Amino acid sequence: MKIIKVKNYDEMSRKAANIISAQVLIKPDSVLGLATGGSPLGTYKQLIEWYNKGDIDFSEITSINLDEYVGLPDTHEQSYHYFMHENFFDHVNVKPENIHVPNGVAANMTQACREYEELIKKAGGIDLQLLGIGTDGHIGFNEPDDFFEPLTHVVSLTESTIKANTRFFDSEDDVPRKAITVGIKTIMQAKKVLLIVNGKNKADAVKEAVCGKVTPAVPASILQLHPDCTIIGDEEAFSKL
């Protein structure tokens, strides 16, 4: 596990974008596992800036998103499908047919999960997986549990996750209670993992994930076992290491 400490969010975003752009330059047809939320916004903004300058080309990449809320259509402003188009896809030259986000409104969610796993296998696996981390140590929507859920699955969101995501909705009652997420095994099978984290409110989670025992009670702790994992965090996020 490689740990990179930076001063602030902007520096974190730039370093993360550097790693992603290097991956795409080395392998133009990379399969990128992408994340949503506040943490990667600056990274996407930097990648868009470099794309507009002609420094990076996304035309051959395949994107596979980590998760999606169950029950929100693609057109909903808080769906992750909408988020990714608004904050990244619509500003670069990723081919529409190479964009993949879990189906949160499938009639058969079990089948949707199985099909998403097959899609990842057919793509050849994930070359680089971008992750954030929740205040409870979750990655994707893999919440603290008694065991690591290996494959793509539907999960009931914890109270802390619901409260954390309330800022994106009109009220807490509007936050979906379930999500579909790529599982821990699938994340761990990515060739590279890049975790980005900022803010004092993530310091406890980072400490447990990096220094604590590997446990499904802190899902991010499994990354200690990944052969090529880089964590980039600001001073506040790393304040308890």
Side-chain angles (χ1 to χ4, degrees), residues 24 51 154:
V24 175
Y51 166 75
V154 173

Side-chain angles (χ1 to χ4, degrees), residues 61-232:
I61 71 120
T62 295
S63 69
I64 296 178
N65 260 74
L66 271 172
D67 43 28
E68 178 60 282
Y69 287 117
V70 170
L72 293 191
D74 293 350
T75 54
H76 193 288
E77 291 185 357
Q78 296 306 328
S79 74
Y80 288 162
H81 183 278
Y82 188 96
F83 175 100
M84 289 303 304
H85 279 271
E86 185 79 3
N87 294 291
F88 188 55
F89 296 146
D90 289 351
H91 307 282
V92 296
N93 62 337
V94 182
K95 293 177 181 176
E97 62 268 29
N98 290 342
I99 294 172
H100 304 287
V101 181
N103 185 357
V105 293
N108 186 327
M109 294 304 297
T110 300
Q111 181 179 345
C113 291
R114 185 167 58 247
E115 290 175 349
Y116 208 65
E117 282 294 324
E118 289 301 318
L119 183 153
I120 294 171
K121 289 180 182 178
K122 187 176 180 180
I126 296 169
D127 291 304
L128 186 152
Q129 177 64 64
L130 177 65
L131 297 173
I133 183 173
T135 55
D136 59 1
H138 74 252
I139 47 176
F141 269 131
N142 291 281
E143 301 279 26
D145 207 335
D146 295 328
F147 60 94
F148 290 113
E149 188 74 51
L151 305 177
T152 301
H153 62 287
V154 173
V155 60
S156 295
L157 304 182
T158 63
E159 184 177 342
S160 63
T161 297
I162 292 169
K163 286 185 179 300
N165 289 345
T166 297
R167 68 187 188 277
F168 300 117
F169 293 82
D170 291 334
S171 71
E172 185 175 321
D173 291 338
D174 294 325
V175 183
R177 267 44 186 176
K178 291 187 176 183
I180 178 173
T181 184
V182 169
I184 294 295
K185 178 181 178 181
T186 307
I187 290 172
M188 289 295 287
Q189 287 177 333
K191 298 175 183 68
K192 297 179 182 178
V193 171
L194 174 60
L195 174 67
I196 55 177
V197 58
N198 67 287
K200 193 172 183 179
N201 64 322
K202 301 289 182 72
D204 287 326
V206 170
K207 180 182 178 181
E208 291 301 316
V210 174
C211 303
K213 66 179 181 179
V214 175
T215 170
V218 184
S221 65
I222 193 72
L223 298 177
Q224 294 178 32
L225 306 180
H226 195 280
D228 190 355
C229 176
T230 299
I231 301 178
I232 305 174

